[in-house]
């Protein structure tokens, strides 16, 4: 059947199925959109869902104060039938605040306030109350849900099914809740695992965070340190300051043959000595402060879990306790102290101490999906490098280095090996944004869009290639890249291009927006800013007009 096209026109939501029938209306637009910070529209796609085979559409009607009536109907345009049917569709429930459909559209889960329900599209069944969030299992046989935000339950959909408690006081579930057969979760800083139908198992205690990368569970623990003055400062004045005493005027008496007494006080030297002594007092104040108020500094240690046991400490001195595929680690021997001679005042000392941790040199640790850990220490990557990404096959590490104040920099690529990063390759200068799509690397800046594949850079179009709000970025769908050429922010239109299999094609000119469904591209062209609408077309080898005065594409 294929996915339908859903769009907004004249204050209504319209649907055109993947057939020859004319589009038909679903419901009014009210409640489906709201202004954002860019003064453009954000669309509430969550209030409209389509089954995976494209045969059924579920939608909200009469949205008011976050509640609505939930309908469904067939996308073929066949008129709904039955006691709960009207001209819009089949009414499933009213007072609904959120819902999730089964992938095949055979049933729907929804909340009314905080009560969770299940409907097989014929009859409504109550599951539980005080439900704060819920997740449909991957096999579509169970619903996993939170009660009161922290109490975790699971339930099937049969009439005799009752919710089964997984645990209470769960602060975080680190495995997908959709895969309920075995989950890992955190409770009271303890990591547990639970298999469906069995008792929970404590893996380890006193953790900071946990996460799964590949098939491996990782845990971090916080390592707290108290650093006093001698840990924070390199004190070049230590010896001299212990010997320095407060100056006295009589100690600066010098011979003066021009006076009756034959002596005088050298006030210049006395005042200079007094200044040095005041500096010493300020240094003593700083010494005393950090000895009496040690700075609490935390680093983190990373561990691996195997066979539901904590078995290995992988790394220490991590900058953050939150686990990701790329983690920052303090470089070995880089915990330098502050030179006390560079400190100008007590406030300057506090400022330097607060910045000390952020200025510490770091390396990245790359956690691969097979459980191996690779350090970037050997590559000498720019400390200011940002926007780092790993290729899907985990062969390459990309990062943007030598950035200017606009975050534009040089994109470099490194090969990932078990011993570190090798073979640095410069991909492009003046890179603003880059994205990986399989073997294709897409590179954007203010003036152009290009791709890097098969070790070759190809410039596809001159810029700008996006609007001021960043809403017209390229899209990679079904092995092809769709992007704008000669996009005009004033007209909000550009030429829609397609690149795939080494070939560049133009789909149409003066295109405002587009979506890709199956093998077809739907787009709005000749957009009128005044009327906020344009002409809707379908392209699948040729252009075919579908409708006029279309405001935007919803799905």
């Amino acid at each position: 059947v294929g996915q339908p096209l859903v769009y907004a026109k004249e204050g209504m939501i319209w649907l055109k199925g993947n057939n020859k029938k004319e589009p038909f209306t679903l419901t009014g637009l009210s409640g489906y959109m709201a202004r954002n910070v860019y003064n453009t529209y954000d669309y509430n796609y969550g209030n409209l869902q389509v089954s995976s085979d494209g045969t059924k559409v579920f939608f909200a009607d009469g949205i008011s104060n976050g509640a609505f009536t939930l309908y469904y109907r067939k996308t073929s345009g066949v008129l709904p039938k039955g006691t709960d049917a009207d001209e819009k569709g089949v009414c499933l429930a009213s007072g609904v605040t959120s819902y999730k459909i089964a992938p095949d559209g055979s049933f729907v889960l929804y909340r009314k306030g905080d009560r969770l329900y299940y409907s097989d599209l014929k009859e409504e069944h109550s599951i539980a109350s005080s439900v704060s969030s819920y997740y449909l299992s991957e096999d579509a046989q169970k619903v996993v849900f939170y009660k009161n935000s922290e109490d975790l339950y699971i339930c099937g959909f049969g009439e005799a099914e009752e919710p089964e408690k997984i645990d209470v006081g769960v602060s975080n579930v680190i495995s997908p809740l959709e895969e309920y057969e075995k989950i890992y979760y955190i409770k009271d800083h303890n990591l547990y695992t639970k298999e469906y139908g069995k008792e929970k198992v404590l893996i380890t205690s006193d953790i900071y965070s946990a996460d799964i990368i590949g098939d491996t569970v990782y845990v971090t623990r916080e390592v707290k340190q108290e650093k006093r003055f001698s840990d924070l400062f390199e004190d070049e004045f230590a010896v001299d300051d212990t010997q320095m005493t407060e100056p006295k005027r009589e100690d600066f008496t010098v011979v003066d043959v021009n006076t009756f007494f034959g002596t005088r006080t050298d006030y210049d030297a006395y005042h200079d000595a007094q200044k040095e002594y005041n500096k010493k007092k300020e240094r003593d104040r700083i010494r005393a402060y950090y000895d009496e108020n040690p700075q609490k500094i935390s680093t983190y240690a990373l561990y691996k879990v195997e066979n539901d046991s904590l078995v290995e400490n992988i790394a220490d001195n991590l900058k953050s306790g939150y686990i990701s595929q790329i983690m920052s680690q303090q470089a070995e021997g880089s915990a330098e102290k502050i030179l006390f001679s560079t400190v100008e005042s007590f406030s300057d000392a506090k400022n330097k101490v607060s910045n000390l941790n952020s200025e510490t040199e770091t390396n990245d640790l790359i956690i691969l999906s097979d459980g191996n850990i690779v350090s970037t220490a050997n590559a000498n990557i720019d400390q200011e490098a940002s926007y780092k990404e790993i290729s899907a096959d985990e062969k390459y590490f990309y990062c943007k280095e030598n950035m200017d104040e606009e975050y534009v920099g040089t994109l470099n690529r490194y090969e990932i090996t078990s011993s570190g990063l090798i073979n640095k390759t410069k991909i492009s200068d003046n890179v603003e944004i880059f994205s990986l799509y399989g073997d294709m690397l897409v590179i954007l800046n203010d003036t152009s869009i290009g791709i890097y594949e098969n070790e070759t850079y190809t410039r596809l179009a001159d810029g700008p290639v996006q609007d001021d709000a960043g809403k017209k970025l390229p899209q990679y769908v079904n092995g092809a890249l769709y992007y704008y050429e000669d996009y005009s922010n004033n007209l909000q239109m550009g030429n829609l291009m397609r690149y795939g299999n080494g070939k560049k094609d133009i789909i149409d000119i003066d295109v405002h927006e587009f979506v890709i469904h199956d093998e077809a591209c739907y787009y709005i062209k000749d957009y009128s800013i005044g009327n906020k609408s344009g002409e809707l077309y379908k392209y699948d080898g040729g252009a075919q007009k579908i409708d006029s005065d279309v405001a935007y594409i919803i799905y």
Side-chain angles (χ1 to χ4, degrees):
V1 176
Q3 293 295 299
L5 175 70
V6 184
Y7 58 92
K9 173 184 175 178
E10 298 172 346
M12 299 293 292
I13 293 178
W14 293 70
L15 183 145
K16 185 183 187 316
N18 197 359
N19 52 37
K20 294 183 179 179
K21 292 189 176 182
E22 293 298 312
F24 58 88
T25 60
L26 291 177
T27 182
L29 267 174
S30 177
Y32 271 85
M33 57 187 179
R35 291 279 183 179
N36 63 22
V37 294
Y38 298 110
N39 202 33
T40 57
Y41 284 113
D42 279 338
Y43 310 121
N44 193 345
Y45 295 115
N47 287 331
L48 188 146
Q49 300 176 35
V50 181
S51 61
S52 58
D53 61 5
T55 61
K56 296 188 187 79
V57 59
F58 297 74
F59 59 95
D61 179 70
I63 302 173
S64 177
N65 297 320
F68 50 86
T69 301
L70 179 60
Y71 278 87
Y72 91 94
R73 68 178 295 176
K74 293 181 178 179
T75 60
S76 62
V78 176
L79 290 174
K81 297 179 181 179
T83 56
D84 294 322
D86 56 28
E87 71 280 0
K88 295 177 182 177
V90 178
C91 177
L92 294 175
S94 59
V96 175
T97 50
S98 69
Y99 73 98
K100 300 178 189 292
I101 69 170
D104 63 0
S106 61
F107 66 86
V108 60
L109 295 165
Y110 52 88
R111 272 194 312 170
K112 297 179 182 181
D114 67 357
R115 180 170 283 278
L116 180 63
Y117 294 85
Y118 160 82
S119 171
D120 58 5
L121 310 188
K122 295 178 182 179
E123 189 176 358
E124 178 182 85
H125 304 275
S126 176
I127 295 176
S129 61
S130 303
V131 174
S132 51
S133 58
Y134 55 101
Y135 307 84
L136 179 62
S137 67
E138 198 171 55
D139 61 7
Q141 299 299 308
K142 305 283 183 183
V143 58
V144 183
F145 59 92
Y146 280 100
K147 293 187 69 171
N148 305 314
S149 299
E150 289 189 338
D151 301 341
L152 194 59
Y153 288 78
I154 188 168
C155 188
F157 302 127
E159 286 191 20
E161 297 272 9
E162 292 291 334
E164 176 185 328
K165 182 173 64 179
I166 296 174
D167 209 339
V168 298
V170 175
S171 58
N172 189 24
V173 177
I174 67 167
S175 55
L177 280 168
E178 294 81 0
E179 300 174 10
Y180 66 89
E181 293 88 350
K182 184 173 183 177
I183 63 173
Y184 293 88
Y185 63 92
I186 300 172
K187 173 184 175 179
D188 298 328
H189 301 288
N190 301 319
L191 177 65
Y192 292 90
T193 184
K194 187 180 189 305
E195 292 188 54
Y196 182 59
K198 297 181 180 180
E199 293 297 317
K200 66 184 179 184
V201 175
L202 173 64
I203 295 175
T204 188
S205 302
D206 191 30
I207 70 168
Y208 183 83
S209 71
D211 210 338
I212 297 177
I213 297 177
D215 294 324
T216 306
V217 177
Y218 296 90
V219 165
T220 58
R221 283 179 170 154
E222 187 175 14
V223 180
K224 297 180 180 179
Q225 295 177 292
E226 287 192 347
K227 292 193 173 185
R228 289 177 165 75
F229 176 81
S230 61
D231 303 310
L232 298 168
F233 295 88
E234 191 68 47
D235 191 355
E236 309 99 313
F237 303 102
V239 175
D240 290 343
D241 282 358
T242 57
Q243 299 173 355
M244 186 182 297
T245 58
E246 185 173 5
K248 299 177 181 179
R249 277 188 296 179
E250 54 265 30
D251 295 333
F252 293 87
T253 302
V254 296
V255 175
D256 186 355
V257 296
N258 297 318
T259 65
F260 178 78
F261 298 101
T263 60
R264 66 179 178 84
T265 300
D266 187 342
Y267 283 102
D268 289 339
Y270 171 66
H271 290 314
D272 288 342
Q274 191 69 48
K275 288 179 183 178
E276 290 303 316
Y277 182 74
N278 289 338
K279 290 179 182 179
K280 182 255 188 191
K281 288 173 62 179
E282 184 75 349
R283 290 193 291 268
D284 284 343
R285 179 188 173 201
I286 295 169
R287 293 182 182 109
Y289 177 82
Y290 285 105
D291 280 336
E292 295 168 4
N293 302 278
Q295 301 301 291
K296 294 177 175 62
I297 296 176
S298 292
T299 58
Y300 302 87
L302 180 67
Y303 298 82
K304 183 185 290 188
V305 174
E306 291 181 359
N307 298 321
D308 294 337
S309 298
L310 200 67
V311 296
E312 186 179 347
N313 174 217
I314 297 171
D316 295 307
N317 295 319
L318 295 173
K319 300 275 282 183
S320 171
Y322 295 104
I323 298 167
S324 61
Q325 194 172 11
I326 302 174
M327 300 191 73
S328 180
Q329 182 185 41
Q330 182 177 293
E332 188 174 346
S334 66
E336 297 180 0
K337 298 179 181 180
I338 301 166
L339 292 178
F340 209 16
S341 57
T342 66
V343 175
E344 298 177 357
S345 64
F346 182 78
S347 60
D348 185 40
K350 295 191 74 172
N351 185 55
K352 283 182 165 63
V353 168
S354 65
N355 292 330
L356 184 60
N357 197 41
S358 62
E359 293 174 354
T360 303
E361 290 186 11
T362 60
N363 300 311
D364 288 320
L365 287 183
I366 303 171
I367 304 177
L368 301 178
S369 57
D370 62 5
N372 288 320
I373 308 294
V374 175
S375 172
T376 68
N378 68 311
N380 296 318
I381 293 174
D382 175 16
Q383 283 289 298
E384 301 299 322
S386 186
Y387 303 99
K388 302 165 186 175
E389 195 166 346
I390 299 169
S391 61
D393 58 12
E394 298 185 338
K395 290 183 179 179
Y396 298 109
F397 176 85
Y398 295 85
C399 66
K400 196 164 60 173
E401 302 183 72
N402 304 316
M403 292 185 298
D404 61 19
E405 62 276 4
E406 300 295 327
Y407 299 100
V408 175
T410 300
L411 177 59
N412 293 317
R413 185 190 73 185
Y414 300 81
E415 290 183 36
I416 301 173
T417 72
S418 57
S419 58
L421 303 184
I422 62 172
N423 296 338
K424 177 180 178 180
T425 302
K426 184 171 83 170
I427 303 297
S428 181
D429 289 317
N430 303 315
V431 174
E432 183 178 358
I433 300 172
F434 71 93
S435 299
L436 278 168
Y437 302 101
D439 294 330
M440 182 187 291
L441 176 65
V442 181
I443 302 168
L444 282 75
N445 58 33
D446 284 340
T447 60
S448 69
I449 174 175
I451 61 167
Y452 186 86
E453 61 178 354
N454 301 322
E455 303 298 317
T456 303
Y457 176 80
T458 302
R459 188 183 182 101
L460 294 180
D462 293 331
V465 294
Q466 60 176 318
D467 64 4
D468 291 335
K471 298 293 185 183
K472 303 296 183 183
L473 292 173
Q475 296 183 35
Y476 186 79
V477 186
N478 298 331
L481 185 72
Y482 295 82
Y483 61 94
Y484 287 97
E485 188 175 63
D486 299 327
Y487 186 85
S488 168
N489 280 309
N490 292 329
L491 298 176
Q492 297 182 19
M493 294 186 295
N495 300 333
L496 180 58
M497 312 295 295
R498 180 186 185 277
Y499 178 86
N501 297 321
K503 185 181 178 183
K504 174 181 173 182
D505 296 306
I506 183 168
I507 292 178
D508 211 333
I509 63 172
D510 299 331
V511 173
H512 173 66
E513 65 171 285
F514 68 94
V515 299
I516 311 297
H517 281 328
D518 304 313
E519 298 300 320
C521 175
Y522 297 90
Y523 59 92
I524 295 174
K525 66 172 295 184
D526 298 330
Y527 184 75
S528 167
I529 296 176
N531 295 329
K532 292 184 172 54
S533 64
E535 308 298 296
L536 179 61
Y537 283 80
K538 175 182 179 180
Y539 180 91
D540 55 0
Q544 171 191 351
K545 186 174 178 179
I546 295 175
D547 209 339
S548 299
D549 302 319
V550 174
Y552 53 83
I553 300 170
I554 294 176
Y555 178 89

